[in-house]
Amino acid sequence: MNKRLILSCAILLVVVCVCLSLVLIPAPFLLFNSRITVSEAVPSTPGREEAPIPAPVFTPQAPMPGADPSENLPPEIASQMDEIQQQVVTIRGLAAIGTLRRELLTPEMLQVKVAEEFFEDYSVDDAAEDVLVLSAFGLIEPGYDLYGLYVDLYNEQVAGYYDNETETMYVVQREGFFGPQRMTYAHEFVHALQDQHYDLKEGLKLNDETCEQDSEYCAATNALVEGDASLVERFWLWRYSTDEDRQQVINFYRDFHSPIFDSAPDFLKEDFLFPYVQGLEFVETLYDLGGWGAVDAAYLDPPRTTTHILHPDKYPNHQAVEVVLPDLLPVLGDGWEQIDDNVIGEWYTYLMLARGWLPRWQIAAISARQAAAGWAGDRSHLYYHAGSDEIVLVQRWLWEDADSAAEFWGAFNSYARARWGSPASYSGETLEWSATADGEVILIRSGSETLWVMAPDAVIADLVTREVLEHQEP
């Protein structure tokens, strides 16, 4: 939702990308709530015909083409990495080009990197602004320590990652380079291949500037990137992992605990999974239609919205409608600042309805998915007054048709009544709540549009609503 929040998840590519508690393993391997139960067998996915993958060509004494000769790795680990890289190249059909440096990190070295590198562009103040936005949407408790959660999560979850800035693969070595680390390495090496062939930062525009301007694009394109790596990881597990690898993975997940992740807000846990669950499903659909060639083609025309990821049949033809909101600073007056101007997209519309921070606000996930599925475009503005610690939220959605708007209206009505109680007034398709914990709340439906305004009092709410409606484009 908030551009910085999505940026921190999509660009660092670390929290879940390398989280061993979130690795996706095919049925009958089971992923649920950051726990994996693994069967001894490794079957193919029922109903899916998979192209045969030839045995890789591998010479243990020869380093992988492109490896940095200056790296200082134990020979037995370097040899295993070389072998996995050859296997991934064979699976994915992308040759390794350029130079790749590989380094081992101790947990203590990882802590230093978390403190000095991962959060150099994401401050405590940035996190505080995110909390203002997320709490306005009901996704997180006001005042939540989001920054502290991120720091703890990175230290708890990271097992290895590819850094596209330095073209370096880092592996966090805790107990050794065993099945879980080998599986993670297969996943992360895909990111090195993606970067070498498509340039993650400049080619795909997964960079700070783009993601500040278009967080929906970054969320969708990151899902392509992670779905691709997750599918290759799955193939690697089927075709190349040893019995010992699989047993070590079983043992790891049997004993693994993730108290920090488990304690995270509901929406955040599900949002972290989005690139790996929904992204994998998206890439699987492309693969079923045209193999790796269809996946490669998606890098030349990346998905631009979470709707593309959630509904692969809408990719690439579904075009989001640009929604415009007026600048409200002139009518709000002194002391107000705009801290967010964003598109929340279909995915965060669903999260808002289904994963509110208080369980009693949450509507059924299937109802929330159906309500969000008709998304055509949206825009949100959040204004903050530091002196009074007050916010004004304006959120406008456009829907594909009147039926989709009606579906969302019914779902949001249920959510709103759970969050704010019965409306103080109900006039046609306008609902208004007064003197709530969030101030004045107005919800208006007009044809295929929905407008939500939240303000400290009725005067500001009415002023803002009139200004938005007067400047509303046809």
Side-chain angles (χ1 to χ4, degrees):
M1 178 186 297
N2 183 274
K3 52 182 175 290
R4 290 195 181 94
L5 180 64
I6 292 179
L7 183 67
S8 70
C9 298
I11 299 305
L12 291 178
L13 299 173
V14 187
V15 172
V16 195
C17 173
V18 295
C19 168
L20 288 178
S21 68
L22 304 177
V23 170
L24 303 178
I25 302 179
F29 299 90
L30 174 65
L31 170 67
F32 180 72
N33 193 24
S34 76
R35 296 286 191 272
I36 295 183
T37 304
V38 189
S39 157
E40 293 284 344
V42 187
S44 299
T45 302
R48 173 171 286 120
E49 294 184 4
E50 294 152 3
I53 299 176
V57 177
F58 170 62
T59 305
Q61 292 77 22
M64 181 72 185
D68 188 333
S70 68
E71 67 185 15
N72 185 20
L73 295 175
E76 66 277 11
I77 292 181
S79 177
Q80 290 186 59
M81 289 178 174
D82 288 342
E83 180 179 22
I84 294 168
Q85 290 177 194
Q86 291 282 15
Q87 292 165 345
V88 168
V89 165
T90 300
I91 293 170
R92 186 58 181 83
L94 294 176
I97 55 178
T99 300
L100 175 66
R101 182 171 179 79
R102 305 176 299 196
E103 291 186 17
L104 298 179
L105 297 178
T106 65
E108 292 73 24
M109 293 166 65
L110 173 63
Q111 289 181 350
V112 172
K113 279 193 167 291
V114 167
E116 295 181 353
E117 297 181 17
F118 294 167
F119 291 95
E120 64 180 350
D121 294 321
Y122 188 77
S123 68
V124 173
D125 289 341
D126 292 332
E129 287 190 0
D130 285 343
V131 171
L132 285 173
V133 178
L134 293 167
S135 61
F137 279 90
L139 289 166
I140 204 166
E141 183 179 5
Y144 186 86
D145 182 12
L146 186 63
Y147 187 87
L149 174 71
Y150 278 162
V151 171
D152 291 342
L153 267 175
Y154 277 54
N155 283 306
E156 176 186 74
Q157 301 290 342
V158 174
Y161 64 97
Y162 170 70
D163 185 338
N164 66 323
E165 293 283 349
T166 62
E167 298 180 349
T168 301
M169 188 82 76
Y170 295 101
V171 176
V172 181
Q173 194 175 26
R174 291 183 169 91
E175 297 180 358
F177 195 71
F178 302 129
Q181 289 78 22
R182 285 162 52 80
M183 185 167 61
T184 297
Y185 193 84
H187 180 112
E188 291 305 307
F189 184 65
V190 179
H191 293 322
L193 295 178
Q194 294 163 340
D195 195 31
Q196 291 171 357
H197 285 265
Y198 302 113
D199 191 346
L200 295 174
K201 183 176 181 180
E202 299 302 331
L204 288 181
K205 301 299 182 183
L206 285 173
N207 56 55
D208 292 5
E209 182 179 357
T210 300
C211 294
E212 284 281 343
Q213 298 295 323
D214 193 350
S215 59
E216 264 289 277
Y217 167 82
C218 284
T221 301
N222 186 48
L224 166 65
V225 168
E226 291 301 342
D228 180 4
S230 296
L231 184 56
V232 172
E233 177 190 300
R234 175 179 284 188
F235 278 132
W236 182 86
L237 188 67
W238 290 345
R239 309 298 174 92
Y240 293 116
S241 65
T242 66
D243 291 342
E244 186 177 18
D245 285 332
R246 293 192 289 274
Q247 186 59 53
Q248 288 166 349
V249 171
I250 292 170
N251 294 342
F252 179 88
Y253 287 108
R254 181 190 61 207
D255 300 330
F256 184 78
H257 300 284
S258 55
I260 304 301
F261 180 83
D262 293 344
S263 68
D266 288 347
F267 95 92
L268 201 53
K269 288 186 286 191
E270 194 158 342
D271 194 35
F272 281 158
L273 287 169
F274 177 79
Y276 309 92
V277 177
Q278 284 78 14
L280 175 60
E281 292 172 357
F282 174 78
V283 172
E284 280 184 318
T285 300
L286 297 180
Y287 183 85
D288 286 346
L289 291 173
W292 291 117
V295 179
D296 289 334
Y299 284 89
L300 304 180
D301 185 15
R304 301 199 64 85
T305 65
T306 53
T307 291
H308 284 157
I309 302 301
L310 294 166
H311 310 280
D313 58 305
K314 294 185 178 182
Y315 167 78
N317 296 324
H318 184 275
Q319 299 295 319
V321 179
E322 184 178 2
V323 176
V324 178
L325 289 174
D327 179 6
L328 296 175
L329 288 176
V331 299
L332 287 173
D334 295 339
W336 289 91
E337 62 176 323
Q338 184 175 350
I339 66 170
D340 193 57
D341 177 3
N342 209 357
V343 174
I344 71 169
E346 179 179 342
W347 175 243
Y348 261 74
T349 299
Y350 154 75
L351 289 176
M352 181 194 73
L353 295 172
R355 298 293 178 255
W357 74 273
L358 285 180
R360 62 181 175 83
W361 295 353
Q362 300 174 1
I363 72 170
I366 188 170
S367 299
R369 289 192 184 98
Q370 291 171 349
W375 180 90
D378 78 78
R379 175 67 60 180
S380 66
H381 284 180
L382 189 87
Y383 299 87
Y384 178 63
H385 193 291
S388 60
D389 194 28
E390 294 174 333
I391 62 104
V392 168
L393 171 69
V394 180
Q395 169 68 41
R396 181 185 173 208
W397 286 276
L398 295 185
W399 304 97
E400 292 179 344
D401 49 45
D403 288 342
S404 298
E407 180 95 28
F408 176 75
W409 176 262
F412 194 96
N413 201 329
S414 298
Y415 165 84
R417 290 172 184 269
R419 182 173 173 180
W420 299 298
S422 298
S425 64
Y426 192 153
S427 175
E429 294 186 321
T430 299
L431 300 176
E432 189 164 355
W433 288 261
S434 299
T436 74
D438 297 305
E440 197 80 3
V441 181
I442 297 175
L443 184 65
I444 301 173
R445 178 190 166 199
S446 176
S448 59
E449 299 186 18
T450 309
L451 175 64
W452 172 23
V453 172
M454 197 159 67
D457 55 53
V459 173
I460 297 178
D462 291 341
L463 181 67
V464 166
T465 302
R466 285 198 305 270
E467 187 72 12
V468 172
L469 294 177
E470 287 176 5
H471 291 82
Q472 188 168 297
E473 295 185 355

